[in-house]
CSV table of all heavy atoms in Angstrom, one decimal:
chain,number,residue,atom,x,y,z
V,11,PRO,N,17.6,-59.0,-20.0
V,11,PRO,CA,16.3,-59.0,-20.6
V,11,PRO,C,16.1,-60.2,-21.5
V,11,PRO,O,16.9,-60.6,-22.3
V,11,PRO,CB,16.4,-57.7,-21.5
V,11,PRO,CG,17.3,-56.8,-20.8
V,11,PRO,CD,18.4,-57.7,-20.2
V,12,GLY,N,14.9,-60.8,-21.3
V,12,GLY,CA,14.5,-62.0,-22.1
V,12,GLY,C,14.8,-63.3,-21.5
V,12,GLY,O,14.3,-64.3,-21.9
V,27,THR,N,10.4,-57.6,-14.3
V,27,THR,CA,10.1,-58.8,-15.0
V,27,THR,C,8.9,-58.6,-15.9
V,27,THR,O,8.2,-57.6,-15.7
V,27,THR,CB,9.9,-60.0,-14.1
V,27,THR,OG1,8.7,-59.7,-13.3
V,27,THR,CG2,11.0,-60.2,-13.2
V,28,HIS,N,8.6,-59.5,-16.8
V,28,HIS,CA,7.4,-59.4,-17.5
V,28,HIS,C,7.0,-60.8,-17.9
V,28,HIS,O,7.8,-61.8,-17.9
V,28,HIS,CB,7.5,-58.6,-18.8
V,28,HIS,CG,8.5,-59.2,-19.8
V,28,HIS,ND1,9.8,-59.1,-19.7
V,28,HIS,CD2,8.2,-59.9,-20.9
V,28,HIS,CE1,10.4,-59.7,-20.8
V,28,HIS,NE2,9.4,-60.2,-21.5
V,31,PRO,N,3.9,-63.0,-23.8
V,31,PRO,CA,2.6,-62.8,-24.3
V,31,PRO,C,1.9,-64.1,-24.8
V,31,PRO,O,0.7,-64.2,-24.8
V,31,PRO,CB,2.7,-61.8,-25.4
V,31,PRO,CG,4.1,-62.0,-25.9
V,31,PRO,CD,4.9,-62.4,-24.7
V,41,SER,N,13.2,-58.3,-17.5
V,41,SER,CA,13.2,-57.2,-18.4
V,41,SER,C,14.3,-56.2,-18.1
V,41,SER,O,14.4,-55.2,-18.8
V,41,SER,CB,11.8,-56.5,-18.5
V,41,SER,OG,11.5,-56.1,-17.2
V,42,LEU,N,15.0,-56.5,-17.1
V,42,LEU,CA,16.2,-55.7,-16.7
V,42,LEU,C,17.4,-56.6,-16.5
V,42,LEU,O,17.2,-57.8,-16.3
V,42,LEU,CB,16.0,-54.9,-15.5
V,42,LEU,CG,14.9,-53.8,-15.4
V,42,LEU,CD1,14.8,-53.2,-14.0
V,42,LEU,CD2,15.3,-52.7,-16.4
V,64,ASN,N,20.7,-55.7,-3.2
V,64,ASN,CA,21.0,-56.6,-4.3
V,64,ASN,C,21.4,-58.0,-3.9
V,64,ASN,O,21.8,-58.8,-4.7
V,64,ASN,CB,22.0,-56.0,-5.2
V,64,ASN,CG,21.6,-54.7,-5.9
V,64,ASN,OD1,20.4,-54.7,-6.3
V,64,ASN,ND2,22.4,-53.7,-5.9
V,86,LEU,N,22.5,-49.5,-10.3
V,86,LEU,CA,23.1,-48.2,-10.7
V,86,LEU,C,23.1,-48.1,-12.2
V,86,LEU,O,23.4,-49.1,-12.9
V,86,LEU,CB,24.5,-48.1,-10.2
V,86,LEU,CG,24.6,-48.1,-8.7
V,86,LEU,CD1,26.1,-48.1,-8.3
V,86,LEU,CD2,23.9,-47.0,-8.0
V,87,PRO,N,22.8,-47.0,-12.8
V,87,PRO,CA,22.7,-46.9,-14.2
V,87,PRO,C,24.0,-47.3,-14.9
V,87,PRO,O,24.0,-47.9,-15.9
V,87,PRO,CB,22.4,-45.4,-14.5
V,87,PRO,CG,21.8,-44.9,-13.2
V,87,PRO,CD,22.4,-45.7,-12.1
V,90,THR,N,30.4,-46.8,-14.3
V,90,THR,CA,31.4,-45.7,-14.2
V,90,THR,C,30.8,-44.5,-13.5
V,90,THR,O,31.5,-43.5,-13.4
V,90,THR,CB,31.9,-45.3,-15.6
V,90,THR,OG1,30.7,-45.2,-16.4
V,90,THR,CG2,32.8,-46.4,-16.2
V,91,HIS,N,29.6,-44.6,-13.1
V,91,HIS,CA,29.0,-43.4,-12.5
V,91,HIS,C,29.8,-43.1,-11.2
V,91,HIS,O,30.0,-43.9,-10.3
V,91,HIS,CB,27.5,-43.7,-12.1
V,91,HIS,CG,26.6,-43.1,-13.1
V,91,HIS,ND1,25.6,-42.2,-12.8
V,91,HIS,CD2,26.6,-43.2,-14.5
V,91,HIS,CE1,25.0,-41.8,-13.9
V,91,HIS,NE2,25.6,-42.4,-14.9
V,103,ASN,N,17.4,-45.5,-12.0
V,103,ASN,CA,16.4,-44.9,-12.7
V,103,ASN,C,15.1,-45.0,-12.0
V,103,ASN,O,14.6,-46.1,-11.7
V,103,ASN,CB,16.2,-45.6,-14.1
V,103,ASN,CG,17.1,-45.0,-15.1
V,103,ASN,OD1,17.6,-43.9,-15.0
V,103,ASN,ND2,17.4,-45.8,-16.1
V,105,LEU,N,11.0,-43.3,-11.4
V,105,LEU,CA,10.0,-42.4,-11.9
V,105,LEU,C,9.0,-42.2,-10.8
V,105,LEU,O,8.7,-43.2,-10.1
V,105,LEU,CB,9.3,-43.2,-13.1
V,105,LEU,CG,8.7,-42.4,-14.2
V,105,LEU,CD1,9.7,-41.5,-14.9
V,105,LEU,CD2,8.1,-43.4,-15.2
V,163,GLU,N,15.4,-33.6,-13.0
V,163,GLU,CA,14.4,-33.0,-12.2
V,163,GLU,C,13.0,-33.2,-12.8
V,163,GLU,O,12.9,-32.8,-14.0
V,163,GLU,CB,14.7,-31.6,-11.9
V,163,GLU,CG,14.1,-31.0,-10.7
V,163,GLU,CD,14.7,-29.7,-10.3
V,163,GLU,OE1,15.8,-29.6,-9.8
V,163,GLU,OE2,14.1,-28.7,-10.6
V,165,GLN,N,9.1,-32.2,-13.0
V,165,GLN,CA,8.2,-31.1,-12.7
V,165,GLN,C,7.0,-31.6,-11.9
V,165,GLN,O,6.4,-32.6,-12.2
V,165,GLN,CB,7.7,-30.3,-13.9
V,165,GLN,CG,8.8,-29.7,-14.7
V,165,GLN,CD,9.5,-28.6,-14.0
V,165,GLN,OE1,8.9,-27.8,-13.4
V,165,GLN,NE2,10.8,-28.6,-14.0
V,200,LEU,N,-0.5,-38.6,-11.8
V,200,LEU,CA,0.5,-38.3,-12.8
V,200,LEU,C,0.3,-36.9,-13.4
V,200,LEU,O,1.1,-36.4,-14.1
V,200,LEU,CB,0.4,-39.4,-13.9
V,200,LEU,CG,0.8,-40.8,-13.5
V,200,LEU,CD1,0.9,-41.6,-14.8
V,200,LEU,CD2,2.1,-40.8,-12.8
V,202,ASP,N,-1.0,-33.6,-15.4
V,202,ASP,CA,-1.2,-33.2,-16.8
V,202,ASP,C,0.1,-33.5,-17.6
V,202,ASP,O,0.9,-34.3,-17.2
V,202,ASP,CB,-1.6,-31.7,-17.0
V,202,ASP,CG,-0.6,-30.8,-16.3
V,202,ASP,OD1,0.5,-31.3,-16.0
V,202,ASP,OD2,-0.9,-29.6,-16.1
V,203,GLN,N,0.2,-32.9,-18.8
V,203,GLN,CA,1.3,-33.2,-19.7
V,203,GLN,C,2.7,-33.1,-19.0
V,203,GLN,O,3.6,-33.8,-19.3
V,203,GLN,CB,1.2,-32.4,-20.9
V,203,GLN,CG,1.0,-30.9,-20.6
V,203,GLN,CD,0.8,-30.1,-21.9
V,203,GLN,OE1,0.9,-30.7,-23.0
V,203,GLN,NE2,0.5,-28.8,-21.7
V,205,ASN,N,3.3,-31.8,-15.4
V,205,ASN,CA,3.4,-31.7,-14.0
V,205,ASN,C,2.8,-33.0,-13.3
V,205,ASN,O,1.8,-33.5,-13.7
V,205,ASN,CB,2.7,-30.5,-13.4
V,205,ASN,CG,3.3,-29.2,-13.7
V,205,ASN,OD1,4.5,-29.1,-13.7
V,205,ASN,ND2,2.5,-28.3,-14.2
O,47,GLY,N,28.7,-49.1,-20.7
O,47,GLY,CA,29.0,-48.2,-19.6
O,47,GLY,C,30.3,-47.4,-19.8
O,47,GLY,O,31.1,-47.2,-18.9
O,50,PRO,N,30.3,-41.7,-19.0
O,50,PRO,CA,29.8,-41.5,-17.7
O,50,PRO,C,28.6,-40.6,-17.6
O,50,PRO,O,27.7,-40.7,-16.8
O,50,PRO,CB,30.9,-40.9,-16.9
O,50,PRO,CG,32.1,-40.9,-17.8
O,50,PRO,CD,31.6,-41.2,-19.2
O,90,PRO,N,12.2,-36.2,-18.3
O,90,PRO,CA,10.9,-35.6,-18.5
O,90,PRO,C,10.8,-35.1,-19.9
O,90,PRO,O,11.7,-34.7,-20.5
O,90,PRO,CB,10.9,-34.4,-17.5
O,90,PRO,CG,12.1,-34.6,-16.6
O,90,PRO,CD,13.0,-35.6,-17.2
O,93,ARG,N,8.1,-29.2,-22.0
O,93,ARG,CA,6.8,-28.7,-21.5
O,93,ARG,C,5.8,-28.6,-22.7
O,93,ARG,O,4.6,-28.8,-22.4
O,93,ARG,CB,7.0,-27.3,-21.0
O,93,ARG,CG,7.6,-27.3,-19.6
O,93,ARG,CD,7.5,-25.9,-19.0
O,93,ARG,NE,7.7,-26.0,-17.5
O,93,ARG,CZ,6.6,-26.2,-16.7
O,93,ARG,NH1,5.4,-26.2,-17.2
O,93,ARG,NH2,6.8,-26.2,-15.4
O,95,ALA,N,5.4,-30.8,-25.0
O,95,ALA,CA,4.9,-32.1,-25.5
O,95,ALA,C,3.6,-32.5,-24.9
O,95,ALA,O,3.4,-32.2,-23.7
O,95,ALA,CB,6.0,-33.1,-25.2
O,145,ARG,N,5.9,-48.8,-18.8
O,145,ARG,CA,6.5,-48.7,-17.5
O,145,ARG,C,7.1,-47.3,-17.2
O,145,ARG,O,7.5,-47.0,-16.1
O,145,ARG,CB,7.6,-49.7,-17.3
O,145,ARG,CG,7.1,-51.1,-17.5
O,145,ARG,CD,7.6,-52.1,-16.5
O,145,ARG,NE,6.9,-53.3,-16.7
O,145,ARG,CZ,7.4,-54.5,-16.6
O,145,ARG,NH1,8.7,-54.6,-16.3
O,145,ARG,NH2,6.7,-55.6,-16.8
O,146,TRP,N,7.2,-46.5,-18.2
O,146,TRP,CA,7.8,-45.2,-18.1
O,146,TRP,C,6.8,-44.1,-18.7
O,146,TRP,O,7.1,-43.6,-19.8
O,146,TRP,CB,9.1,-45.1,-18.8
O,146,TRP,CG,10.1,-46.1,-18.3
O,146,TRP,CD1,10.3,-47.4,-18.8
O,146,TRP,CD2,10.9,-46.0,-17.2
O,146,TRP,NE1,11.3,-48.0,-18.0
O,146,TRP,CE2,11.7,-47.2,-17.0
O,146,TRP,CE3,11.2,-45.0,-16.2
O,146,TRP,CZ2,12.6,-47.4,-16.0
O,146,TRP,CZ3,12.1,-45.2,-15.3
O,146,TRP,CH2,12.8,-46.4,-15.1
O,147,PRO,N,5.7,-43.8,-18.0
O,147,PRO,CA,4.8,-42.8,-18.6
O,147,PRO,C,5.5,-41.4,-18.5
O,147,PRO,O,6.3,-41.2,-17.6
O,147,PRO,CB,3.6,-42.9,-17.7
O,147,PRO,CG,4.1,-43.5,-16.4
O,147,PRO,CD,5.3,-44.4,-16.8
O,148,LYS,N,5.0,-40.6,-19.3
O,148,LYS,CA,5.4,-39.2,-19.3
O,148,LYS,C,6.9,-39.0,-19.4
O,148,LYS,O,7.4,-38.0,-18.9
O,148,LYS,CB,4.9,-38.5,-18.0
O,148,LYS,CG,3.4,-38.3,-17.9
O,148,LYS,CD,3.0,-37.6,-16.6
O,148,LYS,CE,3.6,-36.2,-16.5
O,148,LYS,NZ,3.1,-35.5,-15.3
O,200,ASP,N,21.9,-51.2,-20.4
O,200,ASP,CA,22.8,-50.6,-19.5
O,200,ASP,C,22.1,-49.4,-18.7
O,200,ASP,O,22.4,-49.2,-17.6
O,200,ASP,CB,24.0,-50.1,-20.2
O,200,ASP,CG,25.1,-49.5,-19.3
O,200,ASP,OD1,25.4,-50.2,-18.3
O,200,ASP,OD2,25.6,-48.4,-19.5
O,201,ALA,N,21.2,-48.8,-19.4
O,201,ALA,CA,20.5,-47.7,-18.8
O,201,ALA,C,19.4,-48.1,-17.9
O,201,ALA,O,18.8,-47.3,-17.2
O,201,ALA,CB,19.8,-46.8,-19.9
O,202,GLY,N,19.1,-49.4,-17.9
O,202,GLY,CA,18.1,-50.0,-17.0
O,202,GLY,C,16.7,-49.7,-17.4
O,202,GLY,O,15.8,-49.4,-16.6
O,204,ASP,N,13.3,-51.0,-19.2
O,204,ASP,CA,12.7,-52.4,-19.3
O,204,ASP,C,12.6,-52.8,-20.8
O,204,ASP,O,12.1,-52.0,-21.6
O,204,ASP,CB,11.3,-52.4,-18.7
O,204,ASP,CG,11.3,-52.2,-17.2
O,204,ASP,OD1,11.5,-51.1,-16.8
O,204,ASP,OD2,11.2,-53.2,-16.5
O,205,CYS,N,13.1,-54.0,-21.1
O,205,CYS,CA,13.0,-54.5,-22.5
O,205,CYS,C,12.4,-55.9,-22.4
O,205,CYS,O,12.6,-56.6,-21.4
O,205,CYS,CB,14.4,-54.6,-23.1
O,205,CYS,SG,15.2,-53.1,-23.4
O,206,VAL,N,11.7,-56.3,-23.4
O,206,VAL,CA,11.2,-57.7,-23.4
O,206,VAL,C,12.3,-58.7,-23.7
O,206,VAL,O,12.2,-59.8,-23.3
O,206,VAL,CB,10.0,-57.8,-24.4
O,206,VAL,CG1,8.8,-57.1,-23.9
O,206,VAL,CG2,10.4,-57.4,-25.8
O,207,ASP,N,13.3,-58.3,-24.4
O,207,ASP,CA,14.4,-59.2,-24.8
O,207,ASP,C,15.6,-58.3,-25.3
O,207,ASP,O,15.4,-57.1,-25.5
O,207,ASP,CB,13.9,-60.1,-25.9
O,207,ASP,CG,14.8,-61.3,-26.1
O,207,ASP,OD1,15.7,-61.4,-25.3
O,207,ASP,OD2,14.5,-62.1,-27.0
O,249,SER,N,14.8,-65.0,-27.8
O,249,SER,CA,14.0,-65.8,-26.8
O,249,SER,C,12.6,-65.7,-27.1
O,249,SER,O,11.8,-66.6,-26.7
O,249,SER,CB,14.3,-65.3,-25.4
O,249,SER,OG,13.6,-64.1,-25.2
O,250,ARG,N,12.1,-64.8,-27.9
O,250,ARG,CA,10.7,-64.7,-28.3
O,250,ARG,C,10.5,-65.1,-29.7
O,250,ARG,O,9.4,-65.3,-30.2
O,250,ARG,CB,10.2,-63.3,-28.1
O,250,ARG,CG,10.1,-62.8,-26.7
O,250,ARG,CD,10.0,-61.3,-26.6
O,250,ARG,NE,8.8,-60.8,-27.0
O,250,ARG,CZ,7.8,-60.5,-26.1
O,250,ARG,NH1,8.0,-60.7,-24.8
O,250,ARG,NH2,6.7,-60.0,-26.5
O,305,LYS,N,28.7,-53.9,-11.9
O,305,LYS,CA,27.9,-52.9,-11.2
O,305,LYS,C,27.4,-53.4,-9.9
O,305,LYS,O,27.4,-52.7,-8.9
O,305,LYS,CB,26.6,-52.7,-12.1
O,305,LYS,CG,26.9,-51.7,-13.2
O,305,LYS,CD,25.5,-51.3,-13.8
O,305,LYS,CE,25.4,-51.5,-15.3
O,305,LYS,NZ,24.1,-51.2,-15.8
O,309,SER,N,28.2,-51.6,-6.3
O,309,SER,CA,27.2,-51.2,-5.5
O,309,SER,C,27.2,-51.9,-4.1
O,309,SER,O,26.8,-51.3,-3.1
O,309,SER,CB,25.8,-51.4,-6.1
O,309,SER,OG,25.5,-52.8,-6.2
Side-chain angles (χ1 to χ4, degrees):
Chain V
T27 64
H28 67 279
S41 57
L42 293 175
N64 293 318
L86 300 174
T90 50
H91 260 236
N103 273 338
L105 210 58
E163 204 168 280
Q165 297 295 315
L200 293 188
D202 55 12
Q203 50 187 354
N205 290 317
Chain O
R93 281 190 162 272
R145 304 225 171 139
W146 302 94
K148 287 179 69 175
D200 186 46
D204 294 78
C205 293
V206 292
D207 197 1
S249 74
R250 293 161 76 93
K305 279 193 235 176
S309 68

